Amino acid sequence: MLRDLSSGVRQVVAAKSDENGDVPAGGAPSPSPGGTTPVIDNRPAEELGLRELLAEDFTTHDRGLLEPGFWAVAAHRVGRRAASVQLRPARLALEAAYKMAFTGIDWVWGINLPRSVELGRRVRLWHNGCMLLTARSIGNDVHIRHDTTFGPARGTDGTPATLPVIEDRADIGSGACVLGGVRVGHDAVVGANTVVLKNVPPHATVLGVPARMIPT
Amino acid sequence: MSHAAPFLEDLGSALPAGSENANPPGVGLGALLAEDFRTHGSDPLSPGFWALAIHRFGNWRMDVSHKLLRAPLSLLYRGAHRGAITLWGIDLPYNAKIGRRFHIAHHGAVFIGSRAIGDDVTIRHSVTIGLKRKSERLAPIIGNRIEIGPGACIVGDIQVGDDSVVGANTVLAQNVPPGSVVLGVPARFVAPEKEPGFAAAPSETAVPQKS
């Protein structure tokens, strides 16, 4: 169910951005000098080889080997694939390595990105510390900063329907909380320390506790 | 409520002196730690549990009255407390009184400098409980069954009534009656059904399998 919903979102968003001719805000290839529209590869992460995917994530994180965000995303990518490894000893070793990496990254850098999250392409995690990113899905080219919380609202059980969906190219400021089964629309901006408890329309900018729309 | 003398020379720790064991009465250290472990989802990798265990140990050692016998325990407590701050960012001084089944649902940038916390209180990451300003030396008193969202700051000589909810990123510096739900900077009362609060303790759900 999780996969179906999220991939549906991705297709809808991809279709919309094709109509509008939108160009992703971050991590996208720069327009070629010939003036032709750049073709953006938005295939789901699952369709790419792990090495190809990690190379892209590394580039997204400014090719910094000490970027905590890169390692958090890398652990997530490996964790997603660990379960589908056929050879049992290899799978168990990979699962153990993932568990260790996940805990280490959570403890040392404070980035908690569970592998249950449907993570898009070229997601950029800026800075580290106090990041709890239990979303249902995070789209392509989303930028997330430190101290951000995605999670279920109070009194809900944490099933996928109660978790937020972050659509493509959303920009999440530091300290922001997105809570409950809400949707942050594509190209939306969530300001620093904002608490989002309701849907944010595409291209909107929200700020405040609780979040209010501000004119752009 | 009365304020402590707000003189600058009065500056010291605003917390109780910590000269005695302030763990919840009527329960031994072992049973208390077992309960705390269950509160933290029986997860041995939960930083919240370990930080709380260090806090309980820091109090328990105050029952050892002989100074020479207590010295190595104090050294162990101080090292462990510092370790929890450095590794996980959880600063939970032993002389901040904490009730039973206290739950630190996620770690990082947590500072708990309250005068007293009741039973069944849940906090999350980036929660600060402490002084309003340097010259006002009284910290909050937190009641029973209170939920505190990530990023909340609860400061000053205030009391938070039982069964209240403090929303995410809220700055609370005023008394709150029992059963309140507050959200905002500064905190405002909200109807619970209108603003459905903040993150509950997340659990890693199963990885979706390829069919």
Side-chain angles (χ1 to χ4, degrees):
Chain A
M1 182 196 165
L2 187 91
R3 284 175 56 83
D4 294 342
L5 282 172
S6 318
S7 54
V9 171
R10 188 169 286 122
Q11 279 156 16
V12 169
V13 171
K16 272 189 184 159
S17 44
D18 287 344
E19 282 162 23
N20 305 338
D22 281 349
V23 177
S30 52
S32 54
T36 51
T37 336
V39 180
I40 297 155
D41 177 11
N42 274 343
R43 284 176 293 157
E46 282 78 6
E47 288 181 17
L48 271 77
L50 186 61
R51 284 180 70 164
E52 196 183 353
L53 197 55
L54 290 181
E56 185 182 66
D57 291 328
F58 188 51
T59 309
T60 304
H61 287 85
D62 297 337
R63 311 187 69 76
L65 262 184
L66 292 174
E67 278 284 336
F70 165 68
W71 290 105
V73 172
H76 178 279
R77 303 287 193 207
V78 172
R80 292 286 283 193
R81 275 144 207 255
S84 57
V85 171
Q86 297 295 322
L87 196 63
R88 195 163 176 269
R91 185 173 67 240
L92 292 180
L94 212 53
E95 291 275 357
Y98 165 72
K99 182 83 182 162
M100 265 176 67
F102 176 82
T103 307
I105 290 165
D106 189 22
W107 283 18
V108 177
W109 288 321
I111 305 180
N112 184 319
L113 178 62
R115 59 178 171 175
S116 52
V117 179
E118 189 100 5
L119 189 67
R121 304 267 303 272
R122 300 175 297 276
V123 170
R124 173 68 153 112
L125 308 185
W126 291 92
H127 321 297
N128 60 299
C130 301
M131 294 169 84
L132 181 53
L133 306 176
T134 321
R136 179 162 27 140
S137 70
I138 298 175
N140 300 324
D141 303 292
V142 170
H143 284 224
I144 303 168
R145 291 170 188 78
H146 58 286
D147 205 3
T148 43
T149 307
F150 302 153
R154 181 168 54 91
T156 56
D157 53 1
T159 51
T162 65
L163 297 176
V165 172
I166 315 294
E167 291 183 358
D168 293 6
R169 301 177 296 283
D171 192 345
I172 315 288
S174 58
C177 294
V178 183
L179 309 169
V182 298
R183 188 171 286 267
V184 175
H186 63 87
D187 302 283
V189 177
V190 177
N193 277 3
T194 295
V195 177
V196 175
L197 302 166
K198 291 172 183 162
N199 288 343
V200 176
H203 296 281
T205 301
V206 294
L207 185 67
V209 184
R212 284 174 204 91
M213 295 258 276
I214 60 170
T216 45
Chain B
M1 288 175 93
S2 65
H3 285 258
F7 299 121
L8 280 177
E9 58 265 31
D10 223 9
L11 297 185
S13 173
L15 296 174
S19 52
E20 56 187 28
N21 179 358
N23 278 339
V27 53
L29 183 69
L32 192 59
L33 290 182
E35 186 179 65
D36 291 336
F37 185 62
R38 286 195 299 276
T39 306
H40 287 84
S42 301
D43 177 11
L45 293 178
S46 161
F49 163 69
W50 288 106
L52 186 56
I54 293 164
H55 172 96
R56 305 290 198 206
F57 171 75
N59 272 297
W60 172 81
R61 87 192 146 98
M62 297 313 291
D63 274 346
V64 179
S65 49
H66 198 289
K67 261 194 164 177
L68 272 178
L69 285 176
R70 199 168 68 209
L73 300 177
S74 296
L75 197 66
L76 185 62
Y77 164 72
R78 295 222 169 85
H81 177 228
R82 188 52 55 184
I85 295 173
T86 308
L87 179 56
W88 299 312
I90 305 180
D91 187 353
L92 200 63
Y94 80 95
N95 45 351
K97 198 176 168 213
I98 290 179
R100 295 177 67 166
R101 297 175 295 277
F102 184 64
H103 186 197
I104 306 171
H106 194 239
H107 58 279
V110 171
F111 172 66
I112 305 300
S114 55
R115 255 184 294 169
I117 291 186
D119 296 337
D120 301 290
V121 172
T122 299
I123 67 160
R124 296 179 174 81
H125 53 285
S126 311
V127 165
T128 303
I129 301 177
L131 302 180
K132 194 171 176 185
R133 50 173 67 94
K134 277 197 293 187
S135 54
E136 290 176 20
R137 307 303 295 168
L138 277 177
I141 296 175
I142 313 286
N144 300 311
R145 298 174 299 280
I146 287 171
E147 280 211 61
I148 303 175
C153 280
I154 302 177
V155 291
D157 177 13
I158 64 167
Q159 288 194 12
V160 182
D162 292 353
D163 303 289
S164 292
V165 174
V166 182
N169 282 356
T170 293
V171 177
L172 178 62
Q174 65 190 36
N175 285 333
V176 171
S180 311
V181 180
V182 293
L183 182 70
V185 185
R188 286 178 205 89
F189 292 93
V190 295
E193 64 277 9
K194 261 175 84 181
E195 303 285 358
F198 54 85
S203 54
E204 193 182 351
T205 45
V207 183
Q209 302 287 326
K210 282 191 174 177
S211 49

